[in-house]
Amino acid sequence: MKVLLVDDQARILEATKRLVDWNKLGVDRVLTAQSADEARTILDGEDVDILLTDIEMPGEDGIALQRWQREHHPEVMCIFLTSHADFAYAREALRNGAYDYILQPAAIPEIEKVLERAVGSLAERRDMAEVSRNVDEALSQAQRYTLEWSRWIEQGDTQLVRSRVAAMLDEAEARGSLSAGYCKRLHYIFMEACRLAAHMLKTDLKTLLADAGEDEEALAKGSGSRQEMLASADRCLRAFDLRARRAGNGQEYTTEQRIREVVHYLSQNMDHMISRSEAAQHACLNEDYFSRAFKKETGMGYKEFVLKQKADYAIKLLTNTDLPITVIASKVGYDNYNNFTQMFRKLTGKTPTDYRKSMENGN
């Protein structure tokens, strides 16, 4: 493991090189440079793993160096160590793909902690690459989405991210390349986007998740199936949604608001069968309490509400589109055509085919 330290002040370079316990971090070689130009020469000639650089340097600054590094050596993980307190610097650095931003003066243990996480992330990245060599092309595309996803999350478009992740899983399944390794790699990329989004929101992912009753380590482990990976992603994205709601109204997120959010969530995911347990988890409520609160707010039990919602949507599609009924069944979350027909007849008194014919005949 090689680390490159970049700072125009020789005393800071020497102090960092001397005081950090590199052996404990698994770093066997520490290189130094006093300018961006010198750093580029080293990066071109050495297999550097981590770049730890100052931002404010004479001539070309650290952010310009990192842009060049990202283009020419994207495998290198960049960390900024600087005394500049303007968060706009951190935002730009992180959006450009930096791993972290350490504000000086920082204690050596704090620097070591960030480096330790970086070393762990590198190891995890390499392990995941080994696990899923056969799906590198698709996941390389996902890696390029990391910055875009983080911006969507920061702006509150969490459902857009969720839909994109689900689409990638569906595409992999259609290609026959959906595997545990693929899910784990995609989950890792998704979590990287969430970490970056948390930085953009001036917090860290662990704190943001803890505020929503989630555990970062548990979610970061990912999962080996489409369903489990999406469930983990949903829990993480809900933490961002909860933070946004709290920030928006400046007050406690009430039970009524939670139920309304579940209703909205159901309408945005008509093509999925969302269980009562999943809905309660989405609302961060005990399942029994959620059931009582849901009926009080909507006037219907959860199952009854979901079936009526799906039937109403199916009616809309039957009336206003020429989609085959099997496709409509899929769009309201039914993989089995007979089950869809039974549900529809129970709620409307007609089969989907008969209902469409009656609408065509004006009855």
Side-chain angles (χ1 to χ4, degrees):
M1 179 75 66
K2 292 181 187 178
V3 173
L4 172 59
L5 307 178
V6 185
D7 198 298
D8 62 299
Q9 299 183 56
R11 62 180 182 82
I12 293 178
L13 281 178
E14 288 306 313
T16 305
K17 184 175 180 179
R18 177 169 47 86
L19 295 174
V20 171
D21 189 344
W22 301 106
N23 289 332
K24 181 183 71 174
L25 296 171
V27 175
D28 47 39
R29 191 174 178 195
V30 180
L31 307 168
T32 60
Q34 288 187 247
S35 68
D37 188 57
E38 186 180 354
R40 283 197 297 271
T41 299
I42 294 173
L43 286 166
D44 280 339
E46 300 277 356
D47 294 326
V48 173
D49 297 289
I50 297 174
L51 170 64
L52 184 62
T53 181
D54 187 18
I55 288 183
E56 307 84 20
M57 295 185 292
E60 187 175 359
D61 65 17
I63 289 181
L65 170 63
Q66 188 241 349
R67 289 197 194 102
W68 177 90
Q69 166 262 308
R70 186 183 179 196
E71 180 180 354
H72 294 86
H73 300 282
E75 74 283 358
V76 176
M77 187 168 283
C78 181
I79 299 170
F80 284 110
L81 181 62
T82 179
S83 59
H84 203 298
D86 187 349
F87 190 77
Y89 269 64
R91 180 183 289 259
E92 182 175 0
L94 293 166
R95 281 181 168 171
N96 286 338
Y99 178 74
D100 213 333
Y101 178 96
I102 306 173
L103 186 63
Q104 290 279 48
I108 292 298
E110 181 183 349
I111 297 173
E112 290 178 340
K113 186 175 181 180
V114 174
L115 284 167
E116 185 177 15
R117 285 196 293 106
V119 169
S121 292
L122 279 172
E124 184 178 6
R125 182 188 297 173
R126 289 166 182 170
D127 288 344
M128 291 299 100
E130 181 65 24
V131 168
S132 55
R133 282 195 303 256
N134 294 332
V135 292
D136 275 347
E137 183 178 349
L139 290 169
S140 292
Q141 182 183 24
Q143 186 73 59
R144 292 196 293 272
Y145 290 145
T146 302
L147 180 59
E148 185 176 39
W149 290 354
S150 66
R151 287 173 176 162
W152 289 347
I153 295 169
E154 181 202 14
Q155 295 164 4
D157 295 329
T158 54
Q159 284 303 312
L160 193 56
V161 177
R162 201 266 186 198
S163 296
R164 187 62 197 129
V165 171
M168 293 195 69
L169 290 166
D170 291 342
E171 289 163 9
E173 188 171 25
R175 290 193 305 268
S177 59
L178 183 62
S179 63
Y182 181 94
C183 291
K184 288 179 181 295
R185 273 288 301 279
L186 182 58
H187 189 272
Y188 173 81
I189 292 167
F190 166 78
M191 292 299 291
E192 287 293 295
C194 290
R195 289 190 185 93
L196 179 53
H199 274 295
M200 291 177 178
L201 293 167
K202 301 185 181 181
T203 185
D204 62 88
L205 187 59
K206 184 174 183 178
T207 300
L208 187 144
L209 290 171
D211 288 344
E214 299 288 357
D215 179 77
E216 181 188 19
E217 292 185 5
L219 293 183
K221 289 179 181 179
S223 56
S225 71
R226 179 189 188 281
Q227 183 178 0
E228 291 174 353
M229 191 258 158
L230 280 179
S232 180
D234 282 340
R235 289 168 61 191
C236 189
L237 292 173
R238 280 198 293 271
F240 283 93
D241 290 339
L242 181 58
R243 183 188 187 280
R245 287 190 290 265
R246 287 171 173 168
N249 58 32
Q251 57 188 351
E252 183 182 358
Y253 185 34
T254 66
T255 298
E256 290 75 14
Q257 289 172 315
R258 294 173 193 236
I259 299 303
R260 286 196 292 272
E261 167 59 24
V262 167
V263 171
H264 176 72
Y265 177 66
L266 292 171
S267 69
Q268 296 298 306
N269 292 274
M270 292 295 293
D271 58 338
H272 291 83
M273 286 295 186
I274 298 169
S275 68
R276 185 181 71 164
S277 175
E278 291 173 298
Q281 189 177 64
H282 182 83
C284 298
L285 294 173
N286 170 273
E287 189 171 339
D288 290 337
Y289 180 76
F290 167 79
S291 295
R292 295 193 297 272
F294 190 92
K295 187 167 186 177
K296 179 180 178 182
E297 185 68 21
T298 66
M300 294 186 227
Y302 178 76
K303 183 177 180 180
E304 178 188 4
F305 181 92
V306 169
L307 293 179
K308 183 178 185 305
Q309 188 185 49
K310 289 184 179 296
D312 288 345
Y313 186 49
I315 287 171
K316 182 178 179 181
L317 294 175
L318 287 166
T319 304
N320 299 300
T321 76
D322 295 323
L323 290 172
I325 293 174
T326 53
V327 173
I328 292 175
S330 177
K331 284 186 173 294
V332 295
Y334 281 86
D335 295 327
N336 186 294
Y337 174 80
N338 290 332
N339 289 344
F340 168 65
T341 299
Q342 290 174 11
M343 178 277 292
F344 193 87
R345 179 188 291 174
K346 181 177 180 180
L347 293 181
T348 66
K350 298 179 180 179
T351 66
T353 301
D354 290 341
Y355 186 90
R356 175 170 270 175
K357 287 179 179 177
S358 69
M359 295 303 296
E360 292 172 350
N361 296 329
N363 297 327

